[in-house]
Amino acid sequence: MAERQKIAVLKERATGETRVSASPETVKKLTALGALVAVETGAGDTASISDADYAAAGAEVGPLDSVLAGADIVFGVQGPDAALLGGVKPGAWIVAGLDPFGQRARIDAYAAAGLEALAMEFMPRITRAQSMDILSSQSNLAGYKAVIEAAGHYGRAFPMMMTAAGTVSAAKAFIMGVGVAGLQAIATARRLGAQVSATDVRSATKEQIQSLGAKPIFVENVAGIEGEGSGGYATEMSEEYQKAQAELVSSHIAKQDIVITTALIPGRAAPRLITDAQIATMKPGSVIFDLAAPQGGNVEGCVADQIVVRHGVKIVGYSNTPALLPADASALFSRNLFNFLSAFWDKEAGKPVLDEEIGDAIRLTKGGQVVNARLLA
Ligand code: NAD
């Protein structure tokens, strides 16, 4: 019989991180696979999961040293500092959201420590990996929360209301960037009763916007642009397109009460979609929520974790929006990690064994080296 794999679940140490990388449900399932799960004391506190809940699910709960001792796999929401990880097995896996472009020094330190770092945000966008995709699960919740936060900062109501004292008109909400977060933002704003419009550079999103009952706002007159790069992601647009998009947005945005921006281009700073001059055309009291704030922001003047008021318009954006929904965000994140390990669990070996397609995509370090093509490019 192979030795049981030990999975260490750490308490997150990054400022503002409230999530946790395993739930009692996934502890149970990982144990059923044949693993031993060790959870650091207090790891679930901020996600409303107690040590007793983990213990009841079959985890060993204890201090950092004992959790890490002899661990084969270390789970995290964000990457733990390499210096923290003394005591794990040589070549142990780090399975987490590792922010490979933003935290390069930490990745180098994993390599130097001989660890095998697996960046879950590099999971390929292929059908069989959908259930392992942390970007999707977290973006979905972030798109919802962006609308709820914007509504909280808005001094008016979202739905039209006919009252004895007169009519309240419906809010107009505009969603810029219709990936996973944007689609959920459209659905949430619609459920709250707003009149919703949306835009993207990928023409495939047009039908998706319509099917959610929102109005597509698209650049039509610049030829030959589909805006779709590899894996369904956006690419950087031509200057001509950017100019046409800016004109279109300028005329539309002046009439909006709520704007949610979600536009991202993998491995690059977020594209600038809204300028200060455009904000000046909006009605005072309008709210812009910038979900791209952690990647530099889509909105001029946005400062992460601050409410900035420009021309009477509130600009809101957080460095970690999913962390505002710690219980659900942790539940989904934890399932992503479980789905990943269980898909590759080799019963005979008693441990996960990766294939090339997914392994090569997510593996950042191995054998003392940085090995990922996207980091070496
Ligand atoms: P993302 O977070 O990378 O970007 C958000 C959106 O911003 C995208 O729709 C992008 O096209 C858009 N955008 C970029 N630049 C823009 C600009 N200048 N103006 C307006 N919009 C701009 O995207 P995402 O949520 O990760 O989704 C990207 C794609 O991946 C989608 O097609 C999605 O359906 C697909 N996807 C596939 C899987 C899977 O098959 N496993 C999982 C998740 C997502």
Side-chain angles (χ1 to χ4, degrees):
M1 248 290 286
E3 202 190 326
R4 275 173 99 189
Q5 287 276 298
K6 180 174 178 183
I7 302 174
V9 178
L10 305 193
K11 187 171 172 62
E12 296 296 312
R13 284 162 170 76
T15 311
E17 186 53 82
T18 58
R19 294 169 291 174
V20 59
S21 54
S23 62
E25 175 197 312
T26 65
V27 165
K28 236 181 242 166
K29 290 179 169 171
L30 290 163
T31 309
L33 277 184
L36 168 75
V37 185
V39 178
E40 187 179 358
T41 308
D45 282 353
T46 49
S48 314
I49 305 170
S50 69
D51 292 345
D53 293 338
Y54 283 119
E60 273 180 10
V61 180
L64 183 66
D65 285 358
S66 71
V67 164
L68 286 175
D72 300 278
I73 300 172
V74 178
F75 272 6
V77 174
Q78 299 188 38
D81 269 342
L84 216 60
L85 300 178
V88 301
K89 287 235 182 88
W93 286 7
I94 315 298
V95 178
L98 297 177
D99 188 12
F101 297 113
Q103 298 281 352
R104 184 54 198 266
R106 179 182 286 164
I107 307 302
D108 291 340
Y110 291 147
L115 299 166
E116 185 165 337
L118 303 174
M120 294 300 286
E121 60 269 78
F122 276 8
M123 191 61 70
R125 252 78 200 274
I126 51 177
T127 305
R128 73 186 168 106
Q130 269 180 12
S131 67
M132 315 170 193
D133 186 347
I134 61 166
L135 291 183
S136 289
S137 72
Q138 304 303 295
S139 295
N140 198 358
L141 289 167
Y144 159 83
K145 191 65 173 173
V147 175
I148 300 299
E149 286 288 311
H153 288 288
Y154 186 46
R156 298 170 187 272
F158 265 42
M160 189 182 83
M161 295 183 207
M162 310 256 254
T163 81
T167 300
V168 169
S169 49
K172 291 195 175 72
F174 181 39
I175 316 299
M176 302 185 73
V178 187
V180 178
L183 287 170
Q184 186 55 252
I186 294 173
T188 304
R190 289 265 302 151
R191 282 197 287 265
L192 287 178
Q195 276 177 27
V196 184
S197 57
T199 190
D200 199 292
V201 291
R202 292 182 298 114
S203 52
T205 59
K206 206 179 212 174
E207 262 180 48
Q208 299 169 347
I209 294 167
Q210 279 163 334
S211 72
L212 287 170
K215 187 177 171 206
I217 306 289
F218 276 74
V219 173
E220 306 281 5
N221 48 0
V222 180
I225 290 166
E226 284 300 303
E228 185 128 353
S230 64
Y233 283 114
T235 51
E236 199 145 52
M237 307 307 288
S238 70
E239 240 174 69
E240 188 194 8
Y241 183 97
Q242 286 181 24
K243 195 165 161 274
Q245 186 187 37
E247 278 165 19
L248 182 74
V249 167
S250 288
S251 61
H252 188 66
I253 213 169
K255 297 172 237 150
Q256 302 304 309
D257 302 300
I258 304 289
V259 179
I260 311 281
T261 68
T262 78
L264 293 179
I265 301 165
R268 290 175 183 257
R272 176 55 43 84
L273 298 185
I274 301 181
T275 63
D276 188 69
Q278 288 170 322
I279 297 169
T281 68
M282 295 178 72
K283 284 171 277 183
S286 302
V287 179
I288 305 176
F289 190 104
D290 189 348
L291 257 182
Q295 285 86 9
N298 294 140
V299 182
E300 186 173 356
C302 178
V303 183
D305 305 316
Q306 285 183 31
I307 296 159
V308 177
V309 182
R310 301 284 305 159
H311 314 289
V313 176
K314 284 184 194 157
I315 309 168
V316 187
Y318 297 120
S319 48
N320 188 348
T321 304
L324 300 178
L325 293 160
D328 276 333
S330 300
L332 298 189
F333 193 103
S334 300
R335 282 192 207 124
N336 291 145
L337 297 197
F338 168 75
N339 291 336
F340 166 61
L341 282 197
S342 73
F344 289 108
W345 202 269
D346 182 316
K347 273 210 182 116
E348 234 154 78
K351 63 179 187 179
V353 178
L354 301 183
D355 66 14
E356 265 182 32
E357 186 179 31
I358 289 181
D360 291 354
I362 64 175
R363 187 180 299 108
L364 303 184
T365 64
K366 190 177 168 93
Q369 308 285 330
V370 172
V371 295
N372 192 279
R374 289 170 73 182
L375 288 182
L376 296 173

